[in-house]
Amino acid sequence: MLVHERYVEAMRHAIEEAMRAPPTGDIPVGAVVLGSTGHIIGRGHNEREALADPTAHAEMIALRQAAGSVGEWRLGGCTLVVTLEPCTMCAGALIQARIDRLIFGAVDEKAGAVGSLWDVVRDRRLNHRPEVIGGVLADECGELLINFFRDHRVVG
């Protein structure tokens, strides 16, 4: 079994979460946090438009929920699974939360901070560097975004 196959089921949960993004123009990105036992302890989907909150990314919401579940901000032993490569804000947050492992689906060539545009999580100057596995169900995760932008493209 390939190492990323262990995370397919979790990514399917993240995809389900992405599809819950409000129809207010929020980009369909979903995230789940797996606790040390592999159970979901946090969920989130983009809600920036719905909440008028620039920090309401799927990862941030899932990390907050996970921290509430365990009762502290340190999420060592946990895995963040997200449908899109995290941006700089979310990459910084998962480092601060001491997430052990990051699993993502589609790459984000315009704002990705886990290898595409920047590589925040592997910066040797930082005190914490999580394991990173990218490309899990990348095509399915990418389809969510392709369909969203096709349907929301302004013509004119």
Side-chain angles (χ1 to χ4, degrees):
M1 170 167 74
L2 295 172
V3 71
H4 78 273
E5 288 179 5
R6 318 180 4 197
Y7 300 106
V8 168
E9 181 182 349
M11 185 61 75
R12 291 204 188 285
H13 288 290
I15 290 169
E16 289 172 12
E17 193 62 36
M19 295 183 337
R20 291 185 178 109
T24 53
D26 281 297
I27 297 170
V29 176
V32 296
V33 176
L34 306 177
S36 59
T37 63
H39 292 89
I40 295 173
I41 60 169
R43 297 175 176 273
H45 53 265
N46 276 1
E47 295 189 76
R48 289 189 318 170
E49 299 294 334
L51 300 176
D53 178 354
T55 69
H57 288 204
E59 301 96 320
M60 301 295 284
I61 294 167
L63 289 170
R64 283 186 196 115
Q65 193 177 94
S69 293
V70 299
E72 67 170 302
W73 62 268
R74 289 176 195 85
L75 297 174
C78 295
T79 299
L80 174 63
V81 181
V82 61
T83 59
L84 181 64
E85 177 184 357
C87 69
T88 53
M89 174 181 67
C90 296
L94 71 95
I95 289 166
Q96 291 298 317
R98 308 300 193 264
I99 289 287
D100 280 1
R101 187 173 302 100
L102 167 66
I103 311 300
F104 70 88
V107 299
D108 185 349
E109 294 177 3
K110 294 183 180 181
V114 186
S116 291
L117 190 56
W118 295 285
D119 202 351
V120 173
V121 299
R122 293 184 191 98
D123 190 319
R124 294 195 176 277
R125 296 170 292 182
L126 297 172
N127 65 342
H128 180 74
R129 288 182 300 280
E131 175 186 2
V132 176
I133 300 170
V136 177
L137 297 181
D139 291 342
E140 290 180 44
C141 294
E143 273 300 307
L144 290 170
L145 300 167
I146 290 166
N147 293 338
F148 173 83
F149 286 111
R150 183 188 60 232
D151 295 344
H152 289 82
R153 187 168 289 140
V154 176
V155 179

